[in-house]
Amino acid sequence: MVRILSRARPWSPSPDDAVRRATGGAVRVLNHSDTTALTALAAADPVANCFVESILEKGRDATPAHSGGPLFLGIFTQATPMTAGCPAELEAACWVGANVVPIGATAEAGALFGVALTALHRRFASVYGPREAVLPLWDELSRGPQRARQIRDDQPLMVLRGRPAVEPSPHVRPARTEEFPVVLPACVAMFEEELGFSPLQNGAVQYRLRVEDLIRNGWSLVDLDDAGRVRFKADLGVVSASCTQIQGVWVEPGQRGQGLAAPSVAAVTEYARQTAPLVSLYVNSFNTAALRTYRTVGFEQVGTFATVLL
């Protein structure tokens, strides 16, 4: 008789065990009971934390998703003789999904999150958020196997708190569902110009679905010429109750330098203000034309982001 012996799977630590061990207990995976504290931390800066607030407002809490899925990491206050017996407070957090986004993190906290992320042995598409935390986080994460394609370390984070300073264009409006075939090429052109490769190379289905979703929600805004071609486009890329973040701003190359950008962006901000009181965006510091447009519209810099593209 042949005996078949079952082969036990090698033990591997849970994400929480892995990050606690790597950071000496300074970082742990957040859970349902941390949701209130996480929500308050994100609300302390609704412009910088617009993305995270949008996630929480969709009904997600701090509970980790399925194995290998998105989760939040957290750093809590350390007890001192003066605070002995007091409950620890959430000092900083970090969204861990396809992208990594620190929340309320100092440089020291960012570095700790980088150590924790390395211990998770995952691959990410980008790290972005306040520069103070992103760059130390990447310094640690870069010790792992992933390499940066680009590091954009100076991205002014800007906000408009009221009406735009220029008259909005009357031609900018939400794209219609049937206009997807003309909106998609403009989105791809913007992406290629911004990042240097086509979003249709890998994950074409996901990118198409993203554009369709923006149009369906009324968050893709366009100005079409008489021939039905896109002259200008922009997206409400992230929407929370407090703040809307404009993304994907693009003017057709042949239309640039003709005074189209500022009135069009002003129209987008007026539309966005119907959803949330604050309108924000972030832009590469080397994009002087875009910076000039946003300042003309009335945007003011309130911080600095950094993005590491992986």
Side-chain angles (χ1 to χ4, degrees):
M1 183 176 74
V2 178
R3 297 181 61 192
I4 301 176
L5 301 178
S6 62
R7 183 174 298 175
R9 294 181 179 178
W11 177 84
S12 60
S14 69
D16 191 47
D17 288 335
V19 301
R20 286 177 187 260
R21 290 184 181 187
T23 62
V27 181
R28 69 168 173 83
V29 174
L30 300 185
N31 55 48
H32 176 73
S33 65
D34 302 309
T35 302
T36 299
L38 175 62
T39 301
L41 181 68
D45 190 342
V47 176
N49 299 325
C50 181
F51 170 73
V52 172
E53 285 206 300
S54 73
I55 292 175
L56 295 172
E57 289 170 6
K58 290 174 183 175
R60 181 182 176 94
D61 64 10
T63 305
H66 58 83
S67 178
L71 52 81
F72 284 100
L73 300 177
I75 297 174
F76 290 78
T77 54
Q78 299 296 314
T80 68
M82 295 292 292
T83 61
C86 297
E89 294 185 359
L90 182 64
E91 283 190 340
C94 186
W95 165 256
V96 183
N99 304 304
V100 173
V101 184
I103 309 148
T106 62
E108 293 176 343
L112 276 171
F113 285 136
V115 173
L117 291 165
T118 303
L120 289 176
H121 301 293
R122 297 187 182 187
R123 298 189 69 83
F124 307 103
S126 72
V127 182
Y128 73 92
R131 179 173 65 180
E132 180 185 16
V134 166
L135 296 182
L137 189 159
W138 173 244
D139 282 345
E140 293 295 336
L141 187 58
S142 65
R143 301 175 191 273
Q146 282 199 269
R147 295 293 174 263
R149 288 190 291 107
Q150 293 183 36
I151 299 177
R152 299 182 173 186
D153 61 1
D154 187 4
Q155 298 177 307
L157 175 65
M158 310 182 80
V159 67
L160 182 70
R161 302 181 186 277
R163 296 203 63 189
V166 300
E167 189 67 23
S169 168
H171 304 296
V172 174
R173 59 167 176 77
R176 303 184 184 108
T177 303
E178 64 270 19
E179 292 170 336
F180 173 79
V182 296
V183 174
L184 179 63
C187 294
V188 171
M190 179 281 303
F191 191 102
E192 291 178 337
E193 188 173 339
E194 176 72 15
L195 298 179
F197 64 94
S198 172
L200 304 181
Q201 288 179 357
N202 298 300
V205 173
Q206 290 84 349
Y207 188 78
R208 289 172 182 270
L209 290 173
R210 168 65 173 166
V211 175
E212 288 179 346
D213 191 52
L214 288 168
I215 295 174
R216 183 167 50 251
N217 287 324
W219 294 347
S220 175
L221 289 99
V222 296
D223 175 5
L224 304 187
D225 64 17
D226 293 338
R229 296 168 301 199
V230 177
R231 299 197 304 168
F232 168 88
K233 68 160 290 289
D235 305 319
L236 307 189
V238 182
V239 177
S240 75
S242 301
C243 184
T244 298
Q245 188 179 95
I246 297 174
Q247 298 177 352
V249 178
W250 181 79
V251 177
E252 196 278 322
Q255 300 284 339
R256 294 174 188 176
Q258 300 181 29
L260 182 67
S264 298
V265 171
V268 175
T269 64
E270 280 292 83
Y271 182 83
R273 288 176 67 240
Q274 300 175 36
T275 302
L278 300 175
V279 183
S280 73
L281 52 81
Y282 61 100
V283 58
N284 295 310
S285 61
F286 56 76
N287 193 342
T288 55
L291 277 169
R292 184 167 56 249
T293 294
Y294 300 143
R295 287 169 179 153
T296 298
V297 173
F299 282 87
E300 298 178 347
Q301 184 172 354
V302 293
T304 304
F305 267 21
T307 300
V308 181
L309 300 169
L310 303 174

